[in-house]
Amino acid sequence: MLLELTSGCIRDVTIHENDVNRQLVVNSILDPVQDTIVVHVSWSKPVQAALPFEHEKQAHVVLIEEDRLAGEFIWSDSSAYILPYKTKYGHRYKIEVSASGKTAWGETVIPDLLDAEIRKAFPGIYPDIFVVTLFKKENSGKHYWISATGYTGPHDDQKISITCSVLTDYELADDFNQNISDNSRYRFEYDVYMRFSDKGALSDTLNIEVNPQCIGLPKTIYLFEPDVHLDRYMKSSLLLHKMDLYAEDSPVIYAPFPVFSNIHGGTGIFGSYSSVSRKFFKE
């Protein structure tokens, strides 16, 4: 989910099955809407190891905001570290994790407040067709993602699930997860997410359809702008997932796609995003 990034800030991490040196695994995503930050800390393991990831319960985890200590995390019963703290749009944050003599850290700048609108294209006629409008489009090359959640299963046992595909005629979306659509109304179908850039876009408005065969109403449409780290992490993770699926179709040995990480001294992701969402009910 490409971008020109300085080599001193980010790197690609290739998974090695025979790597016996354990690394700290740090995962946390900042959302300015939330009032609590959650950080998962564990230890890496060989790819083929059957044992689950080992959570680190004795780590020292701190959050730094604009070069000032914002707070220290505490261990919770949910296998994670928590810090009651509300982050701010446009601010820079750093997380530092120390455990068993090792230290890992990562940084992120939360994108500015996203100015956008999501509405139905044809209320009461086509319940699964939506219009997404981006205001203050900068033509700067920022990347945005669209997806949706809804309900699946029988009426008496419904569960929330993510859509299997997003359909559109928009030609400038990233084609890494694109398929030719069987839907007569749209040319393209994107697995789970649609990723696009504001650079070179001819219009601020996108028409999309959430595959009605995947999820039912009520459903929530999401538009979000991740920071550069989360953007690359999500895209590399989805590419790896696709390679895993393809590898199951034939006994061909393959090399896993490198999973992006911005954690120095370890692996994982410390990212952030700004988002707009809207929930639609049955009419």
Side-chain angles (χ1 to χ4, degrees), residues 13 15-17 19 21-27 40-57 75 78-81 233 240 244 259 266-269:
V13 175
I15 300 173
H16 298 286
E17 294 185 5
D19 189 358
N21 296 319
R22 298 198 311 168
Q23 290 183 303
L24 281 169
V25 181
V26 180
N27 290 305
H40 295 273
V41 181
S42 59
W43 292 96
S44 63
K45 64 174 185 175
V47 174
Q48 301 300 332
L51 296 175
F53 285 97
E54 177 188 349
H55 294 287
E56 174 54 61
K57 301 180 181 180
W75 174 258
S78 59
S79 301
Y81 293 85
Y233 177 82
L240 176 60
D244 285 341
V259 177
T267 188
I269 179 65

Side-chain angles (χ1 to χ4, degrees), residues 116-261:
E117 177 189 66
I118 303 171
R119 60 181 174 84
K120 284 190 175 183
F122 307 102
I125 303 176
Y126 297 110
D128 295 294
I129 301 179
F130 305 92
V131 176
V132 179
T133 303
L134 269 174
F135 303 107
K136 298 181 181 178
K137 186 173 68 67
E138 301 175 6
N139 198 34
S140 62
K142 293 181 178 180
H143 287 89
Y144 303 89
W145 294 65
I146 293 176
S147 191
T149 59
Y151 289 84
T152 61
H155 181 72
D156 58 347
D157 187 29
Q158 289 193 326
K159 299 178 181 179
I160 296 180
S161 179
I162 195 167
T163 184
C164 59
S165 62
V166 177
L167 301 96
T168 185
D169 278 333
Y170 187 65
E171 297 181 350
L172 300 181
D174 192 337
D175 62 1
F176 81 98
N177 62 338
Q178 181 192 92
N179 302 296
I180 302 301
S181 175
D182 293 329
N183 188 303
S184 60
R185 288 194 295 268
Y186 297 99
R187 296 168 56 193
F188 307 114
E189 184 172 349
Y190 297 87
D191 295 336
V192 186
Y193 298 93
M194 187 180 84
R195 176 183 185 264
F196 65 98
S197 169
D198 63 3
K199 192 171 186 178
L202 301 177
S203 172
D204 295 338
T205 300
L206 301 174
N207 286 354
I208 66 165
E209 179 173 347
V210 175
N211 195 329
Q213 298 177 358
C214 304
I215 54 175
L217 292 168
K219 61 182 61 174
T220 304
I221 310 300
Y222 294 89
L223 168 70
F224 60 98
E225 177 194 345
D227 78 324
V228 292
H229 306 307
L230 181 58
D231 178 71
R232 291 191 65 183
Y233 177 82
M234 288 185 62
K235 181 172 180 177
S236 64
S237 297
L238 288 170
L239 284 169
L240 176 60
H241 176 65
K242 289 188 69 173
M243 292 187 71
D244 285 341
L245 293 179
Y246 297 153
E248 295 172 359
D249 295 335
S250 62
V252 177
I253 298 175
Y254 71 102
F257 189 90
V259 177
F260 173 82
S261 172

Side-chain angles (χ1 to χ4, degrees), residues 29-85:
I29 306 297
L30 301 184
D31 177 3
V33 175
Q34 304 299 323
D35 56 10
T36 299
I37 304 171
V38 179
V39 178
H40 295 273
V41 181
S42 59
W43 292 96
S44 63
K45 64 174 185 175
V47 174
Q48 301 300 332
L51 296 175
F53 285 97
E54 177 188 349
H55 294 287
E56 174 54 61
K57 301 180 181 180
Q58 302 297 325
H60 182 237
V61 185
V62 299
L63 179 73
I64 299 170
E65 180 180 14
E66 301 289 353
D67 299 323
R68 295 182 179 180
L69 179 65
E72 298 185 7
F73 290 77
I74 60 172
W75 174 258
S76 72
D77 294 335
S78 59
S79 301
Y81 293 85
I82 61 173
L83 173 65
Y85 192 83

Side-chain angles (χ1 to χ4, degrees), residues 87-104:
T87 55
K88 302 178 181 65
Y89 294 100
H91 280 220
R92 176 169 53 89
Y93 294 89
K94 179 179 181 180
I95 193 170
E96 292 184 353
V97 178
S98 300
S100 299
K102 295 187 176 182
T103 299

